[in-house]
Amino acid sequence: MQMGEQPPPPAKVYYDGCPGCAMDSKKDSRQGVPYKELLFVGATTFASALPITSLFPFLYFMIRDLHVVQREEDIGFYAGFLGASYMIGRGLASVFWGIIADRIGRKPVIAFSVFSVIVFNTLFGLSVKYWVAIATRFLLGALNGFLAPVKAYSIEVCRPEQQTLGISIVSTAWGMGVIIGPAIGGYLAQPVKQYPHLFHEKSVFGRFPYLLPCLFISFFATLVFISCAWLPETLHKHKGLERTVEMVEGSTAQESTEPPKNSLLKNWPLMSSIITYCVFSLHDTAYVEIFSLWTVSNRYGGLSFSSKDVGQVLTIAGTSLLVYQLFAYRWVDKTFGPIQSTRISSALSIPVIAAYPFMTHLSGIRLGVPLYIAAILKSVFAITRVTGTSLLQNNAVPQEQRGAANGIATTAMSLSKAFAPAGAGIIFSWAQKRQHATFFPGDQMVFLLLNLTELIGLILTFKPFLAAPQQYK
């Protein structure tokens, strides 16, 4: 090599039998988008997200049919605790599943999580006692350790310039799942009542009026579970060597011990984005439950919708996310970046939520148009926030800590989401008893508290609280 010449770039060495190295080699030789892997990511995420909120449109009626309340205005109280049981279970187990995904791989945890959806979501539809419904939802959350490994997986199947697309697929599929889930619940719950010409009162769906939406979701999850057989692993597995692809000069492989791992709890870029993510998650979960309870309530300032009507609104909102993902989000991320897009979407959510209580004075098309527009905008803003904060989390840690980091994020987010439906149910029940109050009566108080939570999340996206990972500074 003559003076002034640059040394050749170090060659990448891949280790035989390591699935992570095989995936890195595949990424290096591939120029385009990994459509096959991202399709699987989207399908599995969608299947795992569907049961989380599918019960909300019929939750009001299910609590009534389980005969655990004496007065109608107390339904929100019991509905909140049933809605929270899933997140309590997930919050207690998510770090465990994240650590397992870092030890044995992403694939087995993802497959087991989808299998748990098949079993416990079906059992929930068969519940005839309140405590059985609580138990099955808790176990569904505790055994569904999906979110931490799939976020890591979506990053690891993509080249660096495609990671935004990978994590946005997770966020969008998750957002579509938690929105279309209620649509499925709304359309398919109580089929004997909604479709008497198709379902007989003495059939199994007459005895278990909330089984059909659960079976529908479990059937889709079964198809996804079968497809797990073709899921490639991405975790590096070669002992005594760095888990990331080793860079060596020439063709000589250099052995090295694993680099020291920094404490995740002391990683402020990670922890600050997780806390911000949790505040937004609390808000979004409370919003979905309050929206569903508010629209079906017919005596206390609601819209008197049927569960089918709620399902239709949420279906349109969920479909809008797919359109947004395909045609707009990548431009939004490229133009504003994850931090600015999170701030803008959070700020724009506030006036949308503030408009909801005033829609009770409208009817017909004058109600339908603004309600659909508000639901679509709220869904788009929410998915933009979730994607932005998820990108910050996954780029704040190296690969060997990504599963555990997402486990911590999922645990914290699940605990906040566990509080959200319980708190939202209690607040909604309390607000129904003060419809004639002078200061923010009834549903106005509910949506005011939602907006205060949104405002707190917005404030947390600014310095000195939020510390951005190095690549976003």
Side-chain angles (χ1 to χ4, degrees):
M1 184 175 66
Q2 300 181 8
M3 279 186 76
E5 291 185 6
Q6 294 291 330
K12 289 183 178 180
V13 174
Y14 306 101
Y15 299 100
D16 291 337
C18 172
C21 287
M23 176 57 69
D24 285 345
S25 176
K26 184 178 180 181
K27 286 190 294 184
D28 288 340
S29 61
R30 179 182 59 212
Q31 297 299 321
V33 176
Y35 291 108
K36 176 183 172 183
E37 289 82 359
L38 292 182
L39 176 63
F40 180 86
V41 166
T44 51
T45 304
F46 185 69
S48 292
L50 283 174
I52 297 176
T53 54
S54 61
L55 76 164
F56 285 154
F58 60 78
L59 187 56
Y60 190 92
F61 307 106
M62 187 180 195
I63 297 297
R64 183 193 62 194
D65 293 345
L66 292 176
H67 306 294
V68 294
V69 296
Q70 301 295 325
R71 300 178 301 171
E72 185 178 349
E73 55 264 40
D74 292 330
I75 289 178
F77 179 85
Y78 286 89
F81 286 102
L82 180 55
S85 57
Y86 174 93
M87 290 300 170
I88 293 173
R90 195 171 77 175
L92 294 175
S94 291
V95 171
F96 168 78
W97 289 118
I99 294 173
I100 292 296
D102 281 342
R103 295 278 180 86
I104 67 173
R106 321 303 190 200
K107 178 176 179 175
V109 176
I110 291 173
F112 180 81
S113 298
V114 176
F115 180 74
S116 73
V117 171
I118 299 170
V119 175
F120 291 100
N121 188 58
T122 303
L123 292 177
F124 173 72
L126 295 169
S127 301
V128 292
K129 298 287 185 181
Y130 183 69
W131 70 266
V132 175
I134 289 275
T136 53
R137 289 288 295 180
F138 175 84
L139 291 172
L140 176 61
L143 298 177
N144 188 356
F146 173 84
L147 197 54
V150 83
K151 284 185 176 180
Y153 187 86
S154 68
I155 291 285
E156 291 159 4
V157 296
C158 293
R159 297 165 65 92
E161 66 272 16
Q162 299 166 341
Q163 289 181 1
T164 296
L165 174 62
I167 202 70
S168 68
I169 291 291
V170 175
S171 299
T172 300
W174 191 265
M176 289 180 64
V178 298
I179 291 176
I180 293 180
I184 293 172
Y187 277 113
L188 300 183
Q190 299 175 309
V192 172
K193 181 179 179 181
Q194 293 199 74
Y195 314 105
H197 56 291
L198 295 176
F199 298 93
H200 195 272
E201 187 175 353
K202 294 184 179 180
S203 67
V204 65
F205 299 111
R207 184 182 177 190
F208 304 104
Y210 309 105
L211 175 61
L212 184 59
C214 297
L215 280 180
F216 183 89
I217 293 170
S218 295
F219 174 75
F220 179 74
T222 301
L223 299 179
V224 172
F225 177 71
I226 294 172
S227 72
C228 287
W230 292 275
L231 172 68
E233 182 57 71
T234 60
L235 184 67
H236 286 274
K237 298 178 180 179
H238 31 88
K239 295 181 180 179
L241 301 168
E242 287 189 7
R243 290 189 177 180
T244 53
V245 176
E246 186 178 351
M247 305 291 291
V248 296
E249 291 194 15
S251 60
T252 305
Q254 303 286 334
E255 289 195 4
S256 61
T257 58
E258 291 188 10
K261 299 179 181 178
N262 297 322
S263 170
L264 293 176
L265 298 180
K266 295 180 181 179
N267 184 337
W268 187 242
L270 171 67
M271 298 309 297
S272 61
S273 61
I274 287 177
I275 294 170
T276 306
Y277 178 64
C278 288
V279 173
F280 287 136
S281 296
L282 185 151
H283 167 89
D284 292 341
T285 306
Y287 164 79
V288 173
E289 173 154 345
I290 285 173
F291 181 86
S292 299
L293 291 173
W294 172 67
T295 49
V296 301
S297 178
N298 57 4
R299 291 178 53 195
Y300 300 98
L303 299 181
S304 301
F305 277 19
S306 67
S307 59
K308 186 176 181 180
D309 294 329
V310 180
Q312 184 172 316
V313 174
L314 295 174
T315 298
I316 299 299
T319 304
S320 71
L321 291 182
L322 181 60
V323 176
Y324 175 68
Q325 168 64 35
L326 292 175
F327 300 106
Y329 179 75
R330 296 184 74 177
W331 175 85
V332 170
D333 180 76
K334 185 177 180 179
T335 304
F336 300 104
I339 298 177
Q340 282 295 102
S341 61
T342 298
R343 291 170 180 166
I344 293 171
S345 58
S346 179
L348 293 177
S349 293
I350 294 175
V352 172
I353 293 173
Y356 276 122
F358 300 100
M359 294 183 189
T360 56
H361 304 293
L362 305 176
S363 61
I365 193 171
R366 294 177 60 197
L367 169 63
V369 171
L371 181 65
Y372 276 92
I373 291 175
I376 290 171
L377 290 176
K378 181 65 182 70
S379 298
V380 166
F381 295 150
I383 208 64
T384 303
R385 292 194 274 94
V386 169
T387 304
T389 51
S390 294
L391 276 170
L392 295 178
Q393 292 166 30
N394 280 274
N395 284 290
V397 293
Q399 191 212 31
E400 63 268 18
Q401 292 183 310
R402 200 167 279 150
N406 280 300
I408 294 173
T410 305
T411 291
M413 177 262 288
S414 298
L415 293 176
S416 67
K417 285 191 171 186
F419 172 78
I426 292 171
I427 291 172
F428 185 81
S429 181
W430 165 69
Q432 287 189 325
K433 300 171 185 176
R434 57 183 307 278
Q435 289 295 324
H436 303 291
T438 304
F439 180 73
F440 287 97
D443 52 345
Q444 292 186 28
M445 176 60 74
V446 174
F447 289 105
L448 172 65
L449 294 176
L450 275 178
N451 262 340
L452 289 177
T453 309
E454 183 76 45
L455 180 61
I456 292 171
L458 175 60
I459 293 171
L460 295 182
T461 62
F462 290 90
K463 294 181 178 179
F465 184 83
L466 184 66
Q470 191 65 37
Q471 58 264 53
Y472 295 119
K473 291 183 178 178

